[in-house]
């Protein structure tokens, strides 16, 4: 049984049919990536999983439990963490306060303290800037904070939405090294949405290609890297 599974999920924005029967699965311990162009439905897929944009039809299960109709805060409490597109940190709160907000659904003080130390160990720059306001951080530091805040929920699966967006190449490499570390060393299961298909397929074990709300292709990351359509459309090769 997959840790996360979507079966024939349909999502609408008003009359716009954004997801048209999405089916995908993420096994425990995997990094799975969703790639596709702007408007393909990548962010909508993550928001539907989290209950932000509820599914109109279909089923979403977490470790066999149906979460399709649950509210966002319930889904977080069940173990789904998200670092959203654009980071969306609390700019007027300090780094520590942002991280504490990530643990709002938890009551285990000792566990929260352990995870805070883990986040500071994983992102030493956040420790250095612990008392700084989130809005004063660089783009790369804000992305680290967004991931750290999601980790403070002690998620069973981490949803990452465009973690490389707007970052310089060196920072992109650093963020992807951290993603790989979380997966290999901490066994964090990750569903990764990323426009940088080169980087996404380099760290993922499997991938899905989305076009206009439908999955057009799914395969191992290695096979997708060699697929002619993927190479032309998403890897910039002609």
């Amino acid at each position: 049984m997959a840790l996360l599974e979507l079966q024939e999920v349909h999502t609408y924005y008003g009359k716009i049919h954004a997801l048209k029967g999405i089916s995908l699965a993420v096994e425990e311990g995997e990094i799975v990536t969703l790639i596709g162009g702007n408007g393909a439905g990548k962010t909508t897929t993550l928001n539907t999983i989290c209950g932000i944009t509820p599914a109109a039809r279909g089923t979403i299960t977490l470790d066999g439990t149906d979460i399709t109709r649950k509210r966002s805060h319930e889904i977080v409490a069940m173990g789904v963490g998200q670092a959203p597109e654009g980071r969306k940190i609390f700019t007027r709160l300090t780094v520590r306060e942002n991280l504490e907000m990530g643990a709002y659904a938890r009551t285990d003080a000792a566990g929260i303290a352990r995870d805070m130390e883990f986040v500071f160990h994983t992102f030493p720059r956040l420790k250095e800037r612990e008392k700084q306001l989130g809005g004063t951080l660089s783009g790369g530091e804000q992305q680290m904070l967004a991931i750290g805040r999601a980790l403070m929920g002690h998620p069973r699966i981490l949803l990452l939405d465009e973690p490389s967006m707007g970052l310089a190449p060196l920072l992109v490499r650093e963020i992807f090294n951290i993603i790989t570390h979380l997966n290999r060393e901490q066994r964090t299961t990750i569903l990764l949405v990323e426009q940088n298909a080169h980087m996404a397929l380099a760290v993922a074990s499997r991938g899905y290609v989305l076009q206009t709300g439908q999955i057009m292709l799914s395969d191992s990351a290695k096979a997708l890297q060699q697929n002619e359509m993927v190479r032309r459309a998403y890897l910039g090769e002609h």
Side-chain angles (χ1 to χ4, degrees), residues 154-196:
H154 204 72
R156 300 190 62 191
I157 183 167
L158 180 61
L159 313 183
L160 299 178
D161 195 351
E162 303 286 7
S164 78
M165 183 182 286
L167 300 184
L170 275 175
L171 278 173
V172 171
R173 204 165 298 120
E174 185 175 352
I175 290 293
F176 273 88
N177 284 341
I178 288 164
I179 291 168
T180 303
H181 170 79
L182 289 172
N183 176 252
R184 290 183 182 169
E185 304 302 323
Q186 301 298 319
R187 300 298 295 160
T188 304
T189 304
I190 296 170
L191 179 57
L192 170 66
V193 159
E194 180 54 63
Q195 287 234 304
N196 187 332

Side-chain angles (χ1 to χ4, degrees), residues 37-223:
N38 287 330
K42 304 185 303 296
T43 293
T44 302
T45 300
L46 298 193
N47 287 343
T48 299
I49 293 166
C50 291
I52 297 167
T53 311
R57 299 198 303 279
T59 307
I60 304 168
T61 56
L62 180 69
D63 204 11
T65 300
D66 190 338
I67 63 170
T68 318
R69 302 284 172 258
K70 293 195 179 293
R71 295 183 179 183
S72 294
H73 69 277
E74 296 173 314
I75 294 169
V76 170
M78 292 175 71
V80 178
Q82 184 180 17
E85 182 182 15
R87 294 135 205 172
K88 296 184 173 66
I89 62 161
F90 300 102
T91 57
R92 296 186 181 182
L93 297 182
T94 66
V95 166
R96 176 173 276 275
E97 288 166 342
N98 266 275
L99 295 175
E100 288 170 346
M101 288 297 290
Y104 77 94
R106 299 174 63 182
T107 56
D108 56 322
I112 292 170
R114 274 196 305 273
D115 285 340
M116 184 74 75
E117 285 308 308
F118 168 70
V119 169
F120 283 145
H121 176 75
T122 305
F123 302 102
R125 260 183 283 180
L126 296 184
K127 178 64 176 172
E128 293 168 12
R129 290 156 176 70
E130 183 178 353
K131 296 179 182 177
Q132 260 183 246
L133 295 181
T136 67
L137 302 179
S138 70
E141 290 161 352
Q142 288 189 10
Q143 185 61 64
M144 293 173 192
L145 182 55
I147 296 172
R149 184 180 60 188
L151 290 171
M152 286 301 298
H154 204 72
R156 300 190 62 191
I157 183 167
L158 180 61
L159 313 183
L160 299 178
D161 195 351
E162 303 286 7
S164 78
M165 183 182 286
L167 300 184
L170 275 175
L171 278 173
V172 171
R173 204 165 298 120
E174 185 175 352
I175 290 293
F176 273 88
N177 284 341
I178 288 164
I179 291 168
T180 303
H181 170 79
L182 289 172
N183 176 252
R184 290 183 182 169
E185 304 302 323
Q186 301 298 319
R187 300 298 295 160
T188 304
T189 304
I190 296 170
L191 179 57
L192 170 66
V193 159
E194 180 54 63
Q195 287 234 304
N196 187 332
H198 276 287
M199 296 295 289
L201 292 172
V203 300
S205 52
R206 293 189 299 112
Y208 293 86
V209 178
L210 276 176
Q211 287 181 6
T212 58
Q214 296 176 296
I215 290 172
M216 306 304 292
L217 192 60
S218 66
D219 212 328
S220 70
K222 189 171 184 179

